[in-house]
Amino acid sequence: MTAVPLIFEAPRRGRPPRHLADLDPAERRAAVADLGERPFRADQLSRHYFGRLEDDVTRMTDVPTAARHRLAEALLPPLLTLVRNVDCDGGATRKTLWRGADGTLIESVLMRYPDRVTMCVSSQAGCGMACPFCATGQGGLTRNLSTAEIVEQVVAGARWLARGEVAGGPGRVSNVVFMGMGEPLANYGRVLSAVRRLTDPAPDGLGLSQRSVTVSTVGLVPAIHRLAGEGLAVTLAVSLHAPDDELRDTLVPVNTRWKVAEVLDAAWGYVGATGRRVSIEYAMIRDVNDQPWRAELLAQQLRGRLVHVNLIPLNPTPGSRWDASTPAAQEEFVRRLVDRGVATTVRDTRGREIAGACGQLAAVDPSPLS
Ligand code: SAH
């Protein structure tokens, strides 16, 4: 065996500590009671955390000092430590690298537009889906994030906005997309709880509208069916990337388990149950999936459905053998879809120059960016 010098101590991977945001309101009251405090203290903590976005325990002055510290220690432990922020687009895009209590690294991205602010959050550290064009997919899965670790990414963005720390003045998070690292439906329970924390009215949660939350999936069919039965109005995005099984088997390996037709059936089931328009994500990869005949096959499968295609110019990842489609191929692809009555838009590539764009999040290198 070759001796490899140990430069970095391997981080310990473990369960993140319990946090207020892991719990629903009844569980919070029970947790507070377990600590020997009156249950209404749970509502006070919720108001500070979700309502006022407070992160300084000493400012929670409606709770007596001793109780405050005991409660904060038990229910507001630090979960994510900021490693670094990288801004671009004049400060309207911010990619953040976080370190979990066990050393796990994850990323989130804040994107400010004239009419909205979207937080792109991670649901897992790494990802087990192994899509070959995605940076996160290359490293495998480290672990699931806890509900509170997911919520914290949004709360952090909300704090920066509330305090006017993001270019454009004070603001609020309006949208959340589960399009950071990980496959959200492979961490189903925690992601669902996170959606509830994000959308429960303040002060129980952050009070975002369900419609402004998008859960993006490779197409885990049983989990899509389950999501359809939750009574939520969140937007479902399905990462299709190919209309035919032969190619999709290679681009989205889970397709060997659930085929294009099954994934789309599940998506139409979601439309039927929720009345929500489904998004189909399609990364445009030069000479791989961008041929006119594939646009036509895709149109055939989607025509007449409550659906919208989101084309994402491929963000080539380091060492990738693939490139983005040419503008001409992309235009032709869009034209064929639109001509056949399928609503289609091309996603902007915010954060591209800071490796903060779709599929580029791969928190493997904690060294400072040059
Ligand atoms: N696991 C979820 C979330 C992944 S990230 C899912 O697969 O949907 C969100 C989107 O970015 C997915 O559609 C994903 O396929 C896409 N993506 C990943 N890598 C990309 C890349 N290098 N270029 C463009 N889009 C990419």
Side-chain angles (χ1 to χ4, degrees), residues 42-109:
D43 301 330
Q44 290 179 310
L45 291 185
S46 299
R47 207 162 296 125
H48 286 298
Y49 181 78
F50 290 105
R52 299 180 51 239
L53 305 170
E54 185 58 78
D55 57 354
D56 181 349
V57 178
T58 64
R59 282 202 284 261
M60 302 182 182
T61 49
D62 53 349
V63 185
T65 319
R68 197 193 302 162
H69 288 284
R70 194 161 51 240
L71 289 168
E73 202 174 84
L75 290 170
L76 296 170
L79 291 178
L80 299 177
T81 310
L82 179 71
V83 178
R84 66 169 176 263
N85 275 326
V86 192
D87 290 358
C88 70
D89 301 320
T93 304
R94 168 176 288 183
K95 180 173 85 156
T96 307
L97 177 64
W98 301 102
R99 182 182 290 111
D102 62 349
T104 302
L105 294 169
I106 60 152
E107 290 178 312
S108 60
V109 185

Side-chain angles (χ1 to χ4, degrees), residues 127 133-135 178-180 182-184 216-218 237 239 241 281 283 312-317 358-360:
C127 186
F133 56 90
C134 173
F178 284 84
M179 294 188 185
E183 166 52 41
S216 181
T217 178
V218 284
S239 297
H241 304 314
E281 313 283 300
I312 317 168
L314 182 81
N315 293 304
T317 56
C358 295
Q360 290 184 314

Side-chain angles (χ1 to χ4, degrees), residues 80-250:
L80 299 177
T81 310
L82 179 71
V83 178
R84 66 169 176 263
N85 275 326
V86 192
D87 290 358
C88 70
D89 301 320
T93 304
R94 168 176 288 183
K95 180 173 85 156
T96 307
L97 177 64
W98 301 102
R99 182 182 290 111
D102 62 349
T104 302
L105 294 169
I106 60 152
E107 290 178 312
S108 60
V109 185
L110 179 154
M111 291 161 283
R112 186 169 211 168
Y113 302 90
D115 59 335
R116 65 187 195 279
V117 180
T118 300
M119 284 297 304
C120 175
V121 298
S122 296
S123 56
Q124 299 182 308
C127 186
M129 298 298 127
C131 302
F133 56 90
C134 173
T136 310
Q138 305 320 295
L141 176 65
T142 303
R143 69 164 169 83
N144 284 323
L145 299 190
S146 68
T147 295
E149 285 176 317
I150 298 168
V151 172
E152 268 276 290
Q153 298 169 58
V154 181
V155 167
R159 279 188 192 124
W160 297 326
L161 284 159
R163 295 171 188 170
E165 292 169 19
V166 177
R172 306 164 69 95
V173 173
S174 55
N175 297 66
V176 172
V177 296
F178 284 84
M179 294 188 185
M181 306 170 82
E183 166 52 41
L185 296 188
N187 186 16
Y188 190 92
R190 296 179 191 90
V191 164
L192 249 281
S193 299
V195 169
R196 297 203 187 277
R197 293 308 103 74
L198 299 176
T199 59
D200 275 352
D204 286 341
L206 280 180
L208 298 180
S209 116
Q210 290 180 1
R211 289 158 180 263
S212 60
V213 174
T214 299
V215 174
S216 181
T217 178
V218 284
L220 304 185
V221 165
I224 296 175
H225 289 311
R226 190 170 164 200
L227 188 65
E230 299 283 355
L232 286 169
V234 297
T235 302
L236 176 71
V238 174
S239 297
L240 202 66
H241 304 314
D244 53 306
D245 287 320
E246 191 183 348
L247 178 58
R248 194 168 191 268
D249 280 349
T250 67

